[in-house]
Amino acid sequence: MKEIRKSFWDFVAVTGSTLIAVPLMLLSEALQARYLGPGGYGKVALILSAISLLYLAAHNWLHRSIMRFGKEEFIQKNHLRSFTADYLLISIFCFITAVFLFNVLQKPILQFLEIRHPYAFWIIVLGLYLNVTRQFVFEVLKIIRKIKLQTLLFRIVSKLFIVLAILFSILVFFKLSVNYVIAIFLLSDAVVIGIGLFNIPRRFFSPLQFDRGLLKRILVYSFPLILFSWSNYVLNWVGTYIVKYYMTMNDVGIYQAAVKILNTVKSFYGMGIVTVTTPIIMVLKTNNNIDKIRNLYLKRFVPYVSYLTMLSVTVIIVFSDILFQLIYGTKFESSIVPFKIIITSVSFSTLGSVFLPIVTSFDMTKMMLKLGLLASFVNISLNFLLVPKFGIAGAAAAGFVTFSLNPVIWYFYLDKEFRFHTKTGLLFPFFTIAVLVVNIAMMSFWLKILASTGLMFIATWIGRNMRLFMPEDMAIISNVKMPEILKSGIYKTLKFLSK
């Protein structure tokens, strides 16, 4: 299967591009934070949240159908003509409806977000159009196996454009304003969309072929995700809004500093996994290879991902004090503890990313809706309870609980559906919580390192006794093209760690 053979180099492309993109993103955020200050930084976040509000309300519920039905048509017919025609029909209707409703409600929305630009309505509508188009182009690139190009555009080209444009503004105009930053973000989207469309052969789309049966399947599959999209918006933005309600614009900027780095780290883990594994799971499901999904993916691959995530998140927690000082400076020092709290959730949310290809491929959208609504209720309740008492640390704690809740529930739900009967993957995120406690409670930097390292050794020892590390697991990558020296190294590591 081509998707499995290419998976290693696709993953290398995704993670490698992300490693390059992270410094670019950090430089971009550092320049914005230092030149705009906490207040201006918060305003940028709120304008982007308005664009996200429109996108999530109007189109986000459809985007999972692109991979689900587009990939299926591409596997069977080597084109996307029927899906594209049906998707465009639904998408245009949603876009017009969203713009109409936003026009009716723009005054209270813009008032709450403190957006006073005379062309704010058209800027946000343009942002919506670019978001919708970019999402479609990126998903199609993944479907037609141009994952490396999609990753390059999403990770490097867009971030590089933003950094260069910000530097140009600073060096030429000697200032950086909120308006400039928003314009730069919109131009970045336009650039990557143009490059992406240029690299998609027209024969995959033309001529368009409307298919009523497929249209109905898309709507039935996607309809439960309308409310899920809203719940997703709540998870990502309600903390910021409640911080703004109870506190100041400066506090919004300080909280967003923690959230921005969180989202970067989450995308580093989640995007690579989802991008590479979704086509593989789709093909396995189409070919009815359920045993491979159960025994290789869920039973063996998931615990490895959980273990490696624990190790890397521990490093981030321990060194986050230094990280924030370098990126944001002393004005954002109060972001550090909230960041430590909220970044711990990545150990859980990465499990959600590993499960997402299965959830998408097996049409589990109704369960997604139920869990999304549950997480939204918990998030709103905890934010209203904790923010007045603990400020942005309370918002971070609410985020940690809600970002961690759904992956845990998914773990038990998928175990019931596929019966892979192992909870090893759930063990390691709880060690990350112990690392968080150590790093908040202890004052000495060296004691934090010592205690955190000790916890990692204990987790590894327990994993070894639970037979996490097995040389036989090389079967997972037996058909994957990668350098033989790397395969040999993985085998030796597993043999050394195995009991």
Side-chain angles (χ1 to χ4, degrees):
M1 186 170 64
K2 192 172 183 179
E3 280 78 7
I4 291 179
R5 290 196 302 271
K6 289 180 59 185
S7 61
F8 171 74
W9 293 112
D10 287 339
F11 186 74
V12 168
V14 173
T15 53
S17 298
T18 305
L19 286 172
I20 297 171
V22 165
L24 293 173
M25 190 283 301
L26 295 179
L27 178 58
S28 167
E29 296 303 318
L31 291 170
Q32 291 176 57
R34 291 172 187 270
Y35 278 88
L36 298 177
Y41 194 74
K43 286 181 181 178
V44 170
L46 291 176
I47 294 170
L48 295 177
S49 82
I51 296 173
S52 294
L53 172 64
L54 236 62
Y55 174 72
L56 288 168
H59 284 83
N60 191 57
W61 64 288
L62 279 173
H63 97 266
R64 296 184 194 279
S65 69
I66 304 174
M67 178 59 72
R68 170 63 183 86
F69 297 103
K71 185 67 176 178
E72 184 177 81
E73 183 177 357
F74 187 75
I75 292 170
Q76 295 172 352
K77 302 179 181 179
N78 198 36
H79 64 69
L80 300 159
R81 296 165 193 167
S82 297
F83 173 77
T84 301
D86 295 337
Y87 180 85
L88 284 175
L89 183 65
I90 302 169
S91 188
I92 290 169
F93 174 79
C94 291
F95 185 86
I96 293 171
T97 304
V99 172
F100 173 76
L101 291 175
F102 181 54
N103 185 47
V104 173
L105 301 171
Q106 66 171 300
K107 187 175 180 180
I109 293 173
L110 298 181
Q111 214 166 33
F112 174 76
L113 297 176
E114 297 185 26
I115 301 173
R116 300 184 179 90
H117 196 284
Y119 299 108
F121 174 82
W122 294 110
I123 290 170
I124 292 169
V125 169
L126 175 61
L128 169 64
Y129 172 78
L130 292 172
N131 266 269
V132 172
T133 309
R134 184 188 63 177
Q135 185 69 54
F136 180 77
V137 170
F138 282 177
E139 291 296 304
V140 169
L141 287 172
K142 288 191 285 187
I143 288 170
I144 65 175
R145 303 188 185 103
K146 292 193 176 184
I147 292 176
K148 298 180 185 68
L149 175 62
Q150 185 266 348
T151 303
L152 180 69
L153 292 176
F154 180 63
R155 294 294 180 194
I156 298 179
V157 174
S158 60
K159 301 296 186 296
L160 183 61
F161 180 90
I162 290 169
V163 167
L164 292 177
I166 288 174
L167 287 172
F168 178 82
S169 179
I170 293 170
L171 295 174
V172 174
F173 301 109
F174 304 104
K175 67 176 182 177
L176 186 68
S177 69
V178 172
N179 290 340
Y180 287 169
V181 172
I182 296 301
I184 288 167
F185 277 112
L186 296 178
L187 282 172
S188 171
D189 283 347
V191 168
V192 297
I193 288 168
I195 297 172
L197 285 173
F198 182 78
N199 284 276
I200 300 174
R202 291 185 181 180
R203 62 184 175 83
F204 290 147
F205 301 136
S206 180
L208 294 177
Q209 300 172 352
F210 290 97
D211 184 334
R212 289 186 180 181
L214 179 59
L215 179 69
K216 182 179 179 181
R217 290 176 65 204
I218 293 171
L219 290 173
V220 170
Y221 173 86
S222 302
F223 191 74
L225 298 178
I226 294 178
L227 290 178
F228 177 78
S229 295
W230 278 97
S231 69
N232 200 32
Y233 185 85
V234 168
L235 290 179
N236 284 290
W237 288 103
V238 75
T240 300
Y241 291 158
I242 293 177
V243 167
K244 179 189 175 297
Y245 180 79
Y246 284 107
M247 304 173 79
T248 67
M249 188 64 76
N250 274 16
D251 294 306
V252 171
I254 289 168
Y255 179 63
Q256 272 296 304
V259 172
K260 283 283 187 74
I261 306 297
L262 166 73
N263 289 336
T264 300
V265 174
K266 283 174 69 175
S267 67
F268 175 78
Y269 291 93
M271 187 63 68
I273 293 170
V274 173
T275 300
V276 174
T277 59
T278 299
I280 295 173
I281 297 299
M282 284 288 299
V283 173
L284 289 174
K285 189 251 183 180
T286 302
N287 295 334
N288 203 32
N289 291 321
I290 307 302
D291 286 343
K292 288 185 177 179
I293 295 175
R294 178 190 302 111
N295 297 323
L296 294 181
Y297 190 81
L298 288 169
K299 193 170 184 177
R300 301 304 305 165
F301 179 71
V302 169
Y304 282 118
V305 172
S306 180
Y307 174 76
L308 294 173
T309 303
M310 174 198 68
L311 295 180
S312 50
V313 170
T314 294
V315 173
I316 295 172
I317 293 172
V318 172
F319 291 97
S320 56
D321 302 70
I322 299 171
L323 176 70
F324 264 78
Q325 288 290 340
L326 288 173
I327 299 171
Y328 292 110
T330 55
K331 289 183 179 179
F332 289 81
E333 193 172 348
S334 52
S335 296
I336 296 173
V337 171
F339 175 74
K340 287 178 185 289
I341 294 170
I342 203 167
I343 198 66
T344 307
S345 66
V346 171
S347 283
F348 292 93
S349 62
T350 301
L351 289 175
S353 298
V354 180
F355 295 144
L356 185 57
I358 294 177
V359 174
T360 301
S361 301
F362 286 85
D363 301 350
M364 298 180 180
T365 52
K366 291 182 180 178
M367 187 63 180
M368 288 178 71
L369 169 61
K370 293 175 184 177
L371 293 184
L373 293 176
L374 172 64
S376 297
F377 174 76
V378 172
N379 197 21
I380 293 171
S381 302
L382 287 178
N383 269 288
F384 274 114
L385 179 66
L386 298 176
V387 171
K389 293 183 179 180
F390 304 104
I392 59 175
F400 163 75
V401 172
T402 47
F403 290 139
S404 304
L405 178 64
N406 278 6
V408 174
I409 297 175
W410 273 119
Y411 203 108
F412 287 98
Y413 180 80
L414 292 179
D415 187 21
K416 180 181 176 182
E417 292 293 313
F418 289 89
R419 299 179 182 178
F420 55 95
H421 300 314
T422 178
K423 303 298 185 292
T424 309
L426 274 181
L427 168 69
F428 304 111
F430 289 97
F431 271 92
T432 318
I433 296 175
V435 171
L436 169 66
V437 173
V438 163
N439 279 265
I440 291 178
M442 290 186 175
M443 299 300 294
S444 169
F445 177 68
W446 294 109
L447 279 177
K448 292 177 184 179
I449 293 179
L450 185 63
S452 300
T453 303
L455 286 168
M456 294 304 96
F457 273 114
I458 294 170
T460 304
W461 179 79
I462 293 175
R464 183 172 179 268
N465 282 278
M466 295 178 70
R467 300 184 65 80
L468 169 64
F469 311 103
M470 296 174 62
E472 303 88 76
D473 288 334
M474 290 298 293
I476 298 174
I477 57 173
S478 60
N479 294 321
V480 177
K481 286 186 177 180
M482 66 170 65
E484 287 302 320
I485 191 172
L486 181 57
K487 276 191 178 182
S488 176
I490 294 172
Y491 177 77
K492 290 176 181 177
T493 302
L494 291 176
K495 191 172 181 180
F496 173 76
L497 291 173
S498 63
K499 189 173 179 180

